Amino acid sequence: MLDVNGRTYQLPKAPTVVVCVDGCEPEYIAQGVAAGSMPWMARTLERGTALVADCVVPSFTNPNNLSIVTGAPPSVHGICGNYLYDTASGTEVMMNDPKWLRAPTILAALSDAGKRCAVVTAKDKLRRLLGHGMRGICFSSEKADAVTAADNGITDVLAMVGMPVPSVYSAELSEFVFAAGVKLMQTRRPDVMYLSTTDYIQHKHAPGTPGANAFYAMMDRYLGELDAMGCVIALTADHGMNAKTGMDAKPDVIYLQDLLDEWTGPAACRVILPITDPYVVHHGALGSFATVYLPAGTDVAALQTRLAARRGIEGVFTRAEAAEWFELPADRIGDLVVISERFTVIGTSAARHDLSALEVPLRSHGGTSEQRVPLILNRAIPGIDRQRRWRNFDAFELALNHV
Amino acid sequence: MLDVNGRTYQLPKAPTVVVCVDGCEPEYIAQGVAAGSMPWMARTLERGTALVADCVVPSFTNPNNLSIVTGAPPSVHGICGNYLYDTASGTEVMMNDPKWLRAPTILAALSDAGKRCAVVTAKDKLRRLLGHGMRGICFSSEKADAVTAADNGITDVLAMVGMPVPSVYSAELSEFVFAAGVKLMQTRRPDVMYLSTTDYIQHKHAPGTPGANAFYAMMDRYLGELDAMGCVIALTADHGMNAKTGMDAKPDVIYLQDLLDEWTGPAACRVILPITDPYVVHHGALGSFATVYLPAGTDVAALQTRLAARRGIEGVFTRAEAAEWFELPADRIGDLVVISERFTVIGTSAARHDLSALEVPLRSHGGTSEQRVPLILNRAIPGIDRQRRWRNFDAFELALNHV
C-alpha cells in the first residue's frame, strides 16, 4: 500500500500501463470503433470498464499529465499551465522545470517501493516533470536519440524501438511512444509504465476522419499487444479537442489583450495564455483559457461582468472562484480566469499570433468544453458507481485499486 | 410597414428569400467553406453579414420554423414541439394542426399586404403551420405530386422542378426545396419566399465528411443562383446537430421514464419527448430534451435536484423556470423540463425505442448544445451589433429591415 497526496494505492499485481492519449475527445474513440478501426477497443469497452471522466481545467497537457501521475488537482501539484507569470519580475516563465512541482508523483512512490517504472512521453517538455523523483526509465520520442543511462535509465532506444526519431510534428511521435512501450514490456517487463502521446493528429483531424481513424487504429494495435502480454491498461486523456473556427473556417478568436487595452488602457492588464509553449505551429497558441493580471485598483467585479457578457465567452472567474471551482493554485493564476466557448479561442493581441502556419481549420482546447475525456480500464469493475464524477486523475486508482 | 407580434417589418424592396437549413450546425458551413465546397458562401461570409445566433430550445424543427416565420418565441406562437400532452384526456396529441398556432406569421401579414409569397418545405408536417393564413404558394417536396391550386396555390410542381418526388429519407428531399425555389423565382418571382429543408443528411453525416460537404455544395449552387437573380437571402437554421453516442458508438441514452418509474413508481410520472414524430428512422425519437408531468403531491424541487445530479443531464427546470428562460408556453410543457448534455440523449423506456434502424452512430439535437445556428445575410449591414444576442427568428428582420 502506498499513500500519495492523501490517496491510497495498492501495489501492482500485474504489469500496469497507464496511457494518456493527448487530445482524446471521447468521440475519436466512438468514431474509431464505429469505423471498425479499433477492434481491441470495441472489445475492451464491452468487457472492461468504460467511463467518461472530467479532466482538469485549464484543459491543457501539462496540468493534466501531472494530475494523472499525482492523482491530484493542480491546487496540490502546482502545475497549472505551460507558463507562469512572475509578477515580481514581470516576466513569463516556463513551468517545465520540476522545481514548480509541489507534490510527489505516484510513479516516484512506486519506484521508492521497489517497483520498476518506465515513462515514455512524446514531447520532451513533459519528461522531466513526469519523471521527477522516480528511479527507472524515462525518455521522450522527441529526444530518443539522446538518451543516456544517467539521465534516462536506458540507452540505445532507437535500436530497441526500430524507428528513427520522428518529427515533433507528426503522428509518428506518438506511435514511437506506443512502439517503445510494447518493446519495453517485451524486453524488460516494468511493473508500471506511463505512456503519454501528443495531440498533433487531434489538432488537425476531426473524429471519424481518415487521418484520425488511422491514428486510433495504430494505437489500438499496440494496446492490443500490451493487453495480450497480460498488462492492466488504464487509458485516459489530458483533454478533449474541438473545432475553434467561425463559419468562414478561420479561427474564431477573442483578442483579449487588445480588448482590455481598449477598455483599461494599453498594457494596463496582462493577459497570459498558458497554452503557449515552444510548439505552437498546430494551434498558434490559441486555446480556450486565459488568465489576466489586473492593475491595482481595478473594479474586478465590474470587469468580470463586462467580459462575461461578450459573445464567445463561456465564463469569467475571479482568482478565488477559479482556484476553488477548478482546484487551481491561487498564487499561480491571475486576478481573472477567462474561458471561451466551444468554438471560440482567446488570443492576446492580434499582432502577436502568427496563424500562417495553420494548414487546416483550427482545432484546440483549454476550456470546459474540452473537459470530457475517456477513462477506460481493460478489466471489469463490478458495481462501479457510474453516477459519480470521475476524473482523469483517477486512472492510477482504477488500474491499481480495482484490479 | 407591417406590425407582426410586436415587431415592425418593412416591405421587401427586392425578392427576399429566407432559408431555414434544418440541423445546420455552423460547423457544417465552416467545413464546407474550408473544403472549397461552398464558393458562394465563402464570398457571402466575407461581403455580407455572418452571425451565429441562438435558436429556440427545444432545439427542434417545428418550434424553430414557427419562430422564424412569426419572429417570436414559442411563448408567443405556441408551438413548442411536435407533441403535446393533453392532461385532460391523458393522450399525446400532434401539434401539426394550425389550431395550435397562437400568433400570425410574417408571411401571412406580407400576403395580406399584397405581397406574393411562396413557401416550400421538405416534409409536409410543417406545411400547414407555415402556410397558415397566407395566400400564395405553399407545398412540400414530400407531397409535391399531390399539389392542387386550392390547397397549394400551384399545380404541376414536378414538371416545374423537373425532379421526381424524393424519398422522405433522402438528401433529394431538401434539394427539391432549393430546386423548386430557384424555379419559382425564375418563373413567378415571388416577393417573399421561405424555404425549409430537412436534416436527414445532418443526422447521418458529421461536418466536413464527404456526405455533408456534397449536401452543402448542392445548397451553395442553388443559393448562388438565387443571389444571381438579385434576391436578398437570409439563411438560418432551426437547430444545430451533435453526435450523441458513448465511446462504443451506441446512442448514449438516459431512459428517463424507466428512471422515474424506479424512483416514483410505475407510470407515476409521464415523460414526453417532443421530438417524436412519424419520421423517426434517423434519430429513433432520441433527442436532448424532454418534459415530464408529475403526479400531484410530488416534491418538485427534490426531484429536480436529484435528476440534475445524474450523469449526462445538462439542466432540469421547473415549468415556470423553463417558460421564462426558454420563452415557452407554460400550459404546453410539463412540470419539469429536462435537457441532456452534448453527447447524451433522453429516451422514455428502453423497450419503447427501436434503434435497429440507426445505420450510423446517432446524431441528434434538442438541447442547449444545439442552440447555435448560422444567421447569414447576403448583404453587408454596416455597424451591426455583433455583441448582442441574435436569434434565428431575427432572420426576417435582417432580410426586410436592414437591406
Side-chain angles (χ1 to χ4, degrees), chain B residues 2-5 9 65-72 76-77 79 98 101-113 117 119 126-135 194 396 400:
Chain B
L2 293 174
D3 195 277
V4 188
N5 302 317
Y9 299 93
N65 269 274
L66 272 296
S67 281
I68 297 167
V69 299
T70 60
V76 172
H77 63 67
I79 306 297
L101 194 54
R102 289 173 166 166
T105 71
I106 303 165
L107 294 163
L110 285 162
S111 80
D112 283 347
C117 295
V119 170
L126 260 175
R127 183 189 50 85
R128 282 206 299 157
L129 286 169
L130 292 174
H132 186 60
M134 182 196 91
R135 284 182 305 280
Y194 183 71
F396 273 96
L400 294 174

mmCIF file of all heavy atoms in Angstrom, chain B residues 2-5 9 65-72 76-77 79 98 101-113 117 119 126-135 194 396 400:
data_model
loop_
_atom_site.group_PDB
_atom_site.id
_atom_site.type_symbol
_atom_site.label_atom_id
_atom_site.label_comp_id
_atom_site.label_asym_id
_atom_site.label_seq_id
_atom_site.Cartn_x
_atom_site.Cartn_y
_atom_site.Cartn_z
ATOM 1 N N LEU B 2 -45.116 46.727 -41.658
ATOM 2 C CA LEU B 2 -46.011 45.725 -41.084
ATOM 3 C C LEU B 2 -45.725 45.620 -39.600
ATOM 4 O O LEU B 2 -44.581 45.713 -39.184
ATOM 5 C CB LEU B 2 -45.717 44.346 -41.684
ATOM 6 C CG LEU B 2 -46.016 44.100 -43.150
ATOM 7 C CD1 LEU B 2 -45.504 42.717 -43.507
ATOM 8 C CD2 LEU B 2 -47.507 44.220 -43.398
ATOM 9 N N ASP B 3 -46.750 45.368 -38.841
ATOM 10 C CA ASP B 3 -46.538 45.080 -37.436
ATOM 11 C C ASP B 3 -47.004 43.649 -37.178
ATOM 12 O O ASP B 3 -48.167 43.312 -37.392
ATOM 13 C CB ASP B 3 -47.330 46.070 -36.573
ATOM 14 C CG ASP B 3 -46.856 46.047 -35.137
ATOM 15 O OD1 ASP B 3 -47.311 45.156 -34.391
ATOM 16 O OD2 ASP B 3 -46.004 46.872 -34.778
ATOM 17 N N VAL B 4 -46.068 42.805 -36.779
ATOM 18 C CA VAL B 4 -46.399 41.402 -36.544
ATOM 19 C C VAL B 4 -45.817 40.967 -35.208
ATOM 20 O O VAL B 4 -44.597 41.038 -35.000
ATOM 21 C CB VAL B 4 -45.831 40.482 -37.665
ATOM 22 C CG1 VAL B 4 -46.352 39.058 -37.491
ATOM 23 C CG2 VAL B 4 -46.172 41.010 -39.045
ATOM 24 N N ASN B 5 -46.667 40.537 -34.315
ATOM 25 C CA ASN B 5 -46.235 40.050 -32.999
ATOM 26 C C ASN B 5 -45.322 41.059 -32.294
ATOM 27 O O ASN B 5 -44.308 40.692 -31.706
ATOM 28 C CB ASN B 5 -45.559 38.692 -33.126
ATOM 29 C CG ASN B 5 -46.478 37.649 -33.756
ATOM 30 O OD1 ASN B 5 -47.666 37.587 -33.414
ATOM 31 N ND2 ASN B 5 -45.962 36.868 -34.686
ATOM 32 N N TYR B 9 -41.856 45.359 -39.485
ATOM 33 C CA TYR B 9 -41.086 44.925 -40.657
ATOM 34 C C TYR B 9 -41.381 45.843 -41.831
ATOM 35 O O TYR B 9 -42.532 46.232 -42.049
ATOM 36 C CB TYR B 9 -41.458 43.487 -41.040
ATOM 37 C CG TYR B 9 -41.166 42.496 -39.942
ATOM 38 C CD1 TYR B 9 -42.147 42.138 -39.023
ATOM 39 C CD2 TYR B 9 -39.904 41.929 -39.816
ATOM 40 C CE1 TYR B 9 -41.881 41.238 -38.007
ATOM 41 C CE2 TYR B 9 -39.626 41.023 -38.798
ATOM 42 C CZ TYR B 9 -40.626 40.685 -37.890
ATOM 43 O OH TYR B 9 -40.355 39.800 -36.879
ATOM 44 N N ASN B 65 -38.985 26.619 -36.774
ATOM 45 C CA ASN B 65 -39.551 27.137 -38.018
ATOM 46 C C ASN B 65 -40.661 28.131 -37.727
ATOM 47 O O ASN B 65 -40.756 29.182 -38.371
ATOM 48 C CB ASN B 65 -40.072 25.986 -38.887
ATOM 49 C CG ASN B 65 -39.028 25.464 -39.855
ATOM 50 O OD1 ASN B 65 -38.871 26.001 -40.952
ATOM 51 N ND2 ASN B 65 -38.288 24.446 -39.448
ATOM 52 N N LEU B 66 -41.482 27.811 -36.729
ATOM 53 C CA LEU B 66 -42.565 28.744 -36.403
ATOM 54 C C LEU B 66 -42.025 30.030 -35.804
ATOM 55 O O LEU B 66 -42.556 31.118 -36.042
ATOM 56 C CB LEU B 66 -43.595 28.070 -35.500
ATOM 57 C CG LEU B 66 -44.704 27.327 -36.253
ATOM 58 C CD1 LEU B 66 -45.531 28.317 -37.081
ATOM 59 C CD2 LEU B 66 -44.192 26.238 -37.180
ATOM 60 N N SER B 67 -40.954 29.931 -35.027
ATOM 61 C CA SER B 67 -40.343 31.155 -34.507
ATOM 62 C C SER B 67 -39.802 32.014 -35.637
ATOM 63 O O SER B 67 -39.962 33.240 -35.640
ATOM 64 C CB SER B 67 -39.233 30.814 -33.503
ATOM 65 O OG SER B 67 -39.806 30.481 -32.253
ATOM 66 N N ILE B 68 -39.177 31.380 -36.614
ATOM 67 C CA ILE B 68 -38.615 32.159 -37.727
ATOM 68 C C ILE B 68 -39.716 32.895 -38.490
ATOM 69 O O ILE B 68 -39.581 34.074 -38.806
ATOM 70 C CB ILE B 68 -37.787 31.242 -38.670
ATOM 71 C CG1 ILE B 68 -36.589 30.654 -37.921
ATOM 72 C CG2 ILE B 68 -37.329 32.021 -39.903
ATOM 73 C CD1 ILE B 68 -35.896 29.502 -38.649
ATOM 74 N N VAL B 69 -40.813 32.211 -38.759
ATOM 75 C CA VAL B 69 -41.859 32.863 -39.577
ATOM 76 C C VAL B 69 -42.790 33.764 -38.768
ATOM 77 O O VAL B 69 -43.581 34.516 -39.352
ATOM 78 C CB VAL B 69 -42.703 31.847 -40.398
ATOM 79 C CG1 VAL B 69 -41.801 31.078 -41.360
ATOM 80 C CG2 VAL B 69 -43.510 30.929 -39.512
ATOM 81 N N THR B 70 -42.726 33.683 -37.439
ATOM 82 C CA THR B 70 -43.515 34.634 -36.634
ATOM 83 C C THR B 70 -42.619 35.734 -36.044
ATOM 84 O O THR B 70 -43.128 36.723 -35.532
ATOM 85 C CB THR B 70 -44.231 33.934 -35.456
ATOM 86 O OG1 THR B 70 -43.251 33.314 -34.613
ATOM 87 C CG2 THR B 70 -45.236 32.886 -35.952
ATOM 88 N N GLY B 71 -41.310 35.518 -36.072
ATOM 89 C CA GLY B 71 -40.392 36.474 -35.443
ATOM 90 C C GLY B 71 -40.531 36.502 -33.931
ATOM 91 O O GLY B 71 -40.228 37.502 -33.288
ATOM 92 N N ALA B 72 -40.938 35.376 -33.367
ATOM 93 C CA ALA B 72 -41.280 35.361 -31.942
ATOM 94 C C ALA B 72 -40.973 33.993 -31.335
ATOM 95 O O ALA B 72 -40.937 32.983 -32.044
ATOM 96 C CB ALA B 72 -42.767 35.681 -31.774
ATOM 97 N N VAL B 76 -45.029 32.967 -27.566
ATOM 98 C CA VAL B 76 -45.962 33.766 -28.365
ATOM 99 C C VAL B 76 -46.720 32.895 -29.367
ATOM 100 O O VAL B 76 -47.942 32.963 -29.471
ATOM 101 C CB VAL B 76 -45.206 34.900 -29.098
ATOM 102 C CG1 VAL B 76 -46.121 35.629 -30.084
ATOM 103 C CG2 VAL B 76 -44.599 35.873 -28.087
ATOM 104 N N HIS B 77 -45.993 32.031 -30.100
ATOM 105 C CA HIS B 77 -46.678 31.299 -31.178
ATOM 106 C C HIS B 77 -47.249 29.951 -30.737
ATOM 107 O O HIS B 77 -48.071 29.353 -31.429
ATOM 108 C CB HIS B 77 -45.798 31.150 -32.417
ATOM 109 C CG HIS B 77 -44.538 30.342 -32.241
ATOM 110 N ND1 HIS B 77 -44.537 28.988 -31.982
ATOM 111 C CD2 HIS B 77 -43.231 30.709 -32.304
ATOM 112 C CE1 HIS B 77 -43.276 28.547 -31.909
ATOM 113 N NE2 HIS B 77 -42.466 29.586 -32.088
ATOM 114 N N ILE B 79 -46.104 26.851 -30.472
ATOM 115 C CA ILE B 79 -45.633 25.549 -30.962
ATOM 116 C C ILE B 79 -44.302 25.225 -30.279
ATOM 117 O O ILE B 79 -43.271 25.786 -30.608
ATOM 118 C CB ILE B 79 -45.451 25.558 -32.494
ATOM 119 C CG1 ILE B 79 -46.742 26.021 -33.183
ATOM 120 C CG2 ILE B 79 -45.024 24.170 -32.986
ATOM 121 C CD1 ILE B 79 -47.947 25.125 -32.970
ATOM 122 N N PRO B 98 -52.756 23.758 -37.504
ATOM 123 C CA PRO B 98 -52.690 25.212 -37.252
ATOM 124 C C PRO B 98 -53.542 25.674 -36.074
ATOM 125 O O PRO B 98 -53.329 26.771 -35.564
ATOM 126 C CB PRO B 98 -53.204 25.822 -38.558
ATOM 127 C CG PRO B 98 -52.918 24.795 -39.588
ATOM 128 C CD PRO B 98 -53.096 23.468 -38.903
ATOM 129 N N LEU B 101 -51.557 27.027 -33.303
ATOM 130 C CA LEU B 101 -50.768 28.239 -33.534
ATOM 131 C C LEU B 101 -51.476 29.444 -32.901
ATOM 132 O O LEU B 101 -52.647 29.683 -33.138
ATOM 133 C CB LEU B 101 -50.615 28.425 -35.050
ATOM 134 C CG LEU B 101 -49.595 29.405 -35.592
ATOM 135 C CD1 LEU B 101 -48.200 29.126 -35.051
ATOM 136 C CD2 LEU B 101 -49.582 29.308 -37.125
ATOM 137 N N ARG B 102 -50.722 30.199 -32.099
ATOM 138 C CA ARG B 102 -51.338 31.300 -31.349
ATOM 139 C C ARG B 102 -50.977 32.674 -31.897
ATOM 140 O O ARG B 102 -51.335 33.695 -31.305
ATOM 141 C CB ARG B 102 -50.871 31.232 -29.887
ATOM 142 C CG ARG B 102 -51.453 30.068 -29.136
ATOM 143 C CD ARG B 102 -50.843 29.918 -27.756
ATOM 144 N NE ARG B 102 -51.657 28.995 -26.965
ATOM 145 C CZ ARG B 102 -51.258 28.442 -25.825
ATOM 146 N NH1 ARG B 102 -50.068 28.722 -25.334
ATOM 147 N NH2 ARG B 102 -52.053 27.616 -25.177
ATOM 148 N N ALA B 103 -50.203 32.709 -32.961
ATOM 149 C CA ALA B 103 -49.764 34.015 -33.468
ATOM 150 C C ALA B 103 -49.773 33.990 -34.986
ATOM 151 O O ALA B 103 -49.556 32.949 -35.605
ATOM 152 C CB ALA B 103 -48.359 34.331 -32.954
ATOM 153 N N PRO B 104 -50.012 35.132 -35.600
ATOM 154 C CA PRO B 104 -49.943 35.204 -37.059
ATOM 155 C C PRO B 104 -48.491 35.152 -37.524
ATOM 156 O O PRO B 104 -47.576 35.485 -36.767
ATOM 157 C CB PRO B 104 -50.553 36.566 -37.368
ATOM 158 C CG PRO B 104 -50.259 37.389 -36.152
ATOM 159 C CD PRO B 104 -50.316 36.440 -34.986
ATOM 160 N N THR B 105 -48.302 34.724 -38.759
ATOM 161 C CA THR B 105 -46.935 34.688 -39.292
ATOM 162 C C THR B 105 -46.645 35.974 -40.075
ATOM 163 O O THR B 105 -47.558 36.675 -40.528
ATOM 164 C CB THR B 105 -46.734 33.491 -40.235
ATOM 165 O OG1 THR B 105 -47.460 33.725 -41.437
ATOM 166 C CG2 THR B 105 -47.184 32.184 -39.588
ATOM 167 N N ILE B 106 -45.352 36.243 -40.220
ATOM 168 C CA ILE B 106 -44.930 37.381 -41.045
ATOM 169 C C ILE B 106 -45.354 37.139 -42.491
ATOM 170 O O ILE B 106 -45.738 38.069 -43.208
ATOM 171 C CB ILE B 106 -43.394 37.552 -40.945
ATOM 172 C CG1 ILE B 106 -42.972 37.740 -39.489
ATOM 173 C CG2 ILE B 106 -42.912 38.719 -41.797
ATOM 174 C CD1 ILE B 106 -41.475 37.556 -39.246
ATOM 175 N N LEU B 107 -45.320 35.877 -42.904
ATOM 176 C CA LEU B 107 -45.724 35.528 -44.265
ATOM 177 C C LEU B 107 -47.190 35.877 -44.500
ATOM 178 O O LEU B 107 -47.549 36.439 -45.551
ATOM 179 C CB LEU B 107 -45.498 34.034 -44.505
ATOM 180 C CG LEU B 107 -44.034 33.588 -44.489
ATOM 181 C CD1 LEU B 107 -43.925 32.068 -44.323
ATOM 182 C CD2 LEU B 107 -43.318 34.053 -45.756
ATOM 183 N N ALA B 108 -48.045 35.568 -43.535
ATOM 184 C CA ALA B 108 -49.467 35.893 -43.672
ATOM 185 C C ALA B 108 -49.655 37.407 -43.754
ATOM 186 O O ALA B 108 -50.442 37.913 -44.573
ATOM 187 C CB ALA B 108 -50.250 35.315 -42.493
ATOM 188 N N ALA B 109 -48.908 38.129 -42.920
ATOM 189 C CA ALA B 109 -49.026 39.594 -42.930
ATOM 190 C C ALA B 109 -48.546 40.169 -44.273
ATOM 191 O O ALA B 109 -49.133 41.119 -44.801
ATOM 192 C CB ALA B 109 -48.218 40.182 -41.777
ATOM 193 N N LEU B 110 -47.490 39.590 -44.809
ATOM 194 C CA LEU B 110 -46.984 40.053 -46.108
ATOM 195 C C LEU B 110 -48.006 39.781 -47.205
ATOM 196 O O LEU B 110 -48.226 40.623 -48.082
ATOM 197 C CB LEU B 110 -45.650 39.366 -46.435
ATOM 198 C CG LEU B 110 -44.438 39.891 -45.654
ATOM 199 C CD1 LEU B 110 -43.287 38.884 -45.712
ATOM 200 C CD2 LEU B 110 -43.994 41.256 -46.215
ATOM 201 N N SER B 111 -48.630 38.625 -47.160
ATOM 202 C CA SER B 111 -49.629 38.331 -48.204
ATOM 203 C C SER B 111 -50.855 39.228 -48.024
ATOM 204 O O SER B 111 -51.431 39.689 -49.007
ATOM 205 C CB SER B 111 -49.982 36.845 -48.237
ATOM 206 O OG SER B 111 -50.900 36.501 -47.227
ATOM 207 N N ASP B 112 -51.196 39.522 -46.781
ATOM 208 C CA ASP B 112 -52.291 40.477 -46.534
ATOM 209 C C ASP B 112 -51.932 41.856 -47.093
ATOM 210 O O ASP B 112 -52.822 42.614 -47.515
ATOM 211 C CB ASP B 112 -52.557 40.630 -45.027
ATOM 212 C CG ASP B 112 -53.343 39.443 -44.474
ATOM 213 O OD1 ASP B 112 -53.880 38.653 -45.286
ATOM 214 O OD2 ASP B 112 -53.403 39.304 -43.242
ATOM 215 N N ALA B 113 -50.649 42.179 -47.074
ATOM 216 C CA ALA B 113 -50.206 43.479 -47.585
ATOM 217 C C ALA B 113 -50.037 43.463 -49.105
ATOM 218 O O ALA B 113 -49.491 44.404 -49.686
ATOM 219 C CB ALA B 113 -48.905 43.890 -46.911
ATOM 220 N N CYS B 117 -46.272 35.586 -51.917
ATOM 221 C CA CYS B 117 -45.465 34.740 -51.034
ATOM 222 C C CYS B 117 -45.434 33.316 -51.535
ATOM 223 O O CYS B 117 -46.391 32.825 -52.147
ATOM 224 C CB CYS B 117 -46.055 34.740 -49.619
ATOM 225 S SG CYS B 117 -45.987 36.362 -48.828
ATOM 226 N N VAL B 119 -43.932 29.347 -50.090
ATOM 227 C CA VAL B 119 -43.290 28.531 -49.051
ATOM 228 C C VAL B 119 -43.048 27.149 -49.623
ATOM 229 O O VAL B 119 -43.961 26.543 -50.187
ATOM 230 C CB VAL B 119 -44.194 28.428 -47.795
ATOM 231 C CG1 VAL B 119 -43.636 27.397 -46.821
ATOM 232 C CG2 VAL B 119 -44.348 29.784 -47.127
ATOM 233 N N LEU B 126 -44.764 20.361 -41.769
ATOM 234 C CA LEU B 126 -44.632 21.783 -41.467
ATOM 235 C C LEU B 126 -45.511 22.666 -42.335
ATOM 236 O O LEU B 126 -45.775 23.811 -41.998
ATOM 237 C CB LEU B 126 -43.185 22.224 -41.725
ATOM 238 C CG LEU B 126 -42.263 22.360 -40.553
ATOM 239 C CD1 LEU B 126 -40.862 22.685 -41.057
ATOM 240 C CD2 LEU B 126 -42.739 23.476 -39.615
ATOM 241 N N ARG B 127 -45.925 22.123 -43.457
ATOM 242 C CA ARG B 127 -46.538 22.961 -44.494
ATOM 243 C C ARG B 127 -47.758 23.734 -44.003
ATOM 244 O O ARG B 127 -47.857 24.951 -44.174
ATOM 245 C CB ARG B 127 -46.924 22.084 -45.687
ATOM 246 C CG ARG B 127 -47.508 22.832 -46.875
ATOM 247 C CD ARG B 127 -48.051 21.864 -47.915
ATOM 248 N NE ARG B 127 -48.927 20.856 -47.322
ATOM 249 C CZ ARG B 127 -50.240 21.034 -47.085
ATOM 250 N NH1 ARG B 127 -50.816 22.166 -47.397
ATOM 251 N NH2 ARG B 127 -50.960 20.059 -46.554
ATOM 252 N N ARG B 128 -48.646 23.028 -43.314
ATOM 253 C CA ARG B 128 -49.888 23.687 -42.919
ATOM 254 C C ARG B 128 -49.648 24.769 -41.869
ATOM 255 O O ARG B 128 -50.297 25.808 -41.870
ATOM 256 C CB ARG B 128 -50.895 22.658 -42.412
ATOM 257 C CG ARG B 128 -51.567 21.911 -43.564
ATOM 258 C CD ARG B 128 -52.926 21.395 -43.149
ATOM 259 N NE ARG B 128 -52.809 20.462 -42.034
ATOM 260 C CZ ARG B 128 -53.801 20.197 -41.192
ATOM 261 N NH1 ARG B 128 -54.965 20.810 -41.313
ATOM 262 N NH2 ARG B 128 -53.622 19.319 -40.227
ATOM 263 N N LEU B 129 -48.686 24.501 -40.975
ATOM 264 C CA LEU B 129 -48.363 25.518 -39.962
ATOM 265 C C LEU B 129 -47.747 26.751 -40.607
ATOM 266 O O LEU B 129 -48.129 27.888 -40.313
ATOM 267 C CB LEU B 129 -47.395 24.936 -38.926
ATOM 268 C CG LEU B 129 -47.974 23.947 -37.912
ATOM 269 C CD1 LEU B 129 -46.849 23.264 -37.132
ATOM 270 C CD2 LEU B 129 -48.929 24.655 -36.940
ATOM 271 N N LEU B 130 -46.778 26.520 -41.482
ATOM 272 C CA LEU B 130 -46.069 27.655 -42.086
ATOM 273 C C LEU B 130 -46.974 28.483 -42.981
ATOM 274 O O LEU B 130 -46.834 29.705 -43.073
ATOM 275 C CB LEU B 130 -44.864 27.164 -42.902
ATOM 276 C CG LEU B 130 -43.723 26.564 -42.097
ATOM 277 C CD1 LEU B 130 -42.672 25.982 -43.031
ATOM 278 C CD2 LEU B 130 -43.105 27.623 -41.184
ATOM 279 N N GLY B 131 -47.898 27.800 -43.666
ATOM 280 C CA GLY B 131 -48.746 28.490 -44.635
ATOM 281 C C GLY B 131 -50.019 29.060 -44.025
ATOM 282 O O GLY B 131 -50.843 29.648 -44.726
ATOM 283 N N HIS B 132 -50.174 28.893 -42.714
ATOM 284 C CA HIS B 132 -51.438 29.293 -42.091
ATOM 285 C C HIS B 132 -51.720 30.785 -42.276
ATOM 286 O O HIS B 132 -50.904 31.636 -41.928
ATOM 287 C CB HIS B 132 -51.409 28.947 -40.603
ATOM 288 C CG HIS B 132 -52.727 29.193 -39.929
ATOM 289 N ND1 HIS B 132 -53.883 28.553 -40.313
ATOM 290 C CD2 HIS B 132 -53.078 30.020 -38.914
ATOM 291 C CE1 HIS B 132 -54.891 28.967 -39.565
ATOM 292 N NE2 HIS B 132 -54.426 29.864 -38.702
ATOM 293 N N GLY B 133 -52.880 31.060 -42.838
ATOM 294 C CA GLY B 133 -53.312 32.455 -43.002
ATOM 295 C C GLY B 133 -52.653 33.176 -44.158
ATOM 296 O O GLY B 133 -52.873 34.363 -44.378
ATOM 297 N N MET B 134 -51.831 32.460 -44.912
ATOM 298 C CA MET B 134 -51.091 33.079 -46.014
ATOM 299 C C MET B 134 -51.721 32.716 -47.348
ATOM 300 O O MET B 134 -52.019 31.558 -47.605
ATOM 301 C CB MET B 134 -49.641 32.570 -45.983
ATOM 302 C CG MET B 134 -48.748 33.170 -47.055
ATOM 303 S SD MET B 134 -47.214 32.195 -47.275
ATOM 304 C CE MET B 134 -47.748 31.055 -48.568
ATOM 305 N N ARG B 135 -51.925 33.687 -48.190
ATOM 306 C CA ARG B 135 -52.318 33.395 -49.564
ATOM 307 C C ARG B 135 -51.038 33.245 -50.376
ATOM 308 O O ARG B 135 -50.051 33.924 -50.120
ATOM 309 C CB ARG B 135 -53.163 34.527 -50.141
ATOM 310 C CG ARG B 135 -54.610 34.550 -49.618
ATOM 311 C CD ARG B 135 -55.402 35.689 -50.275
ATOM 312 N NE ARG B 135 -54.738 36.976 -50.096
ATOM 313 C CZ ARG B 135 -54.811 37.707 -48.977
ATOM 314 N NH1 ARG B 135 -55.528 37.274 -47.944
ATOM 315 N NH2 ARG B 135 -54.187 38.871 -48.883
ATOM 316 N N TYR B 194 -40.042 31.464 -48.517
ATOM 317 C CA TYR B 194 -39.482 30.780 -47.346
ATOM 318 C C TYR B 194 -39.200 29.333 -47.727
ATOM 319 O O TYR B 194 -40.097 28.614 -48.156
ATOM 320 C CB TYR B 194 -40.461 30.849 -46.173
ATOM 321 C CG TYR B 194 -39.913 30.230 -44.892
ATOM 322 C CD1 TYR B 194 -38.889 30.857 -44.177
ATOM 323 C CD2 TYR B 194 -40.405 29.024 -44.407
ATOM 324 C CE1 TYR B 194 -38.378 30.300 -43.021
ATOM 325 C CE2 TYR B 194 -39.905 28.462 -43.234
ATOM 326 C CZ TYR B 194 -38.893 29.105 -42.542
ATOM 327 O OH TYR B 194 -38.382 28.545 -41.398
ATOM 328 N N PHE B 396 -36.124 37.363 -40.584
ATOM 329 C CA PHE B 396 -36.936 38.274 -41.407
ATOM 330 C C PHE B 396 -36.578 39.742 -41.134
ATOM 331 O O PHE B 396 -36.611 40.563 -42.029
ATOM 332 C CB PHE B 396 -38.441 38.025 -41.184
ATOM 333 C CG PHE B 396 -38.988 36.947 -42.085
ATOM 334 C CD1 PHE B 396 -39.101 35.637 -41.637
ATOM 335 C CD2 PHE B 396 -39.381 37.250 -43.384
ATOM 336 C CE1 PHE B 396 -39.604 34.640 -42.472
ATOM 337 C CE2 PHE B 396 -39.885 36.258 -44.220
ATOM 338 C CZ PHE B 396 -39.990 34.946 -43.770
ATOM 339 N N LEU B 400 -35.567 42.078 -44.135
ATOM 340 C CA LEU B 400 -36.510 43.136 -44.539
ATOM 341 C C LEU B 400 -36.103 44.529 -44.044
ATOM 342 O O LEU B 400 -36.330 45.516 -44.740
ATOM 343 C CB LEU B 400 -37.928 42.808 -44.029
ATOM 344 C CG LEU B 400 -38.579 41.558 -44.647
ATOM 345 C CD1 LEU B 400 -39.910 41.250 -43.955
ATOM 346 C CD2 LEU B 400 -38.796 41.736 -46.159
#
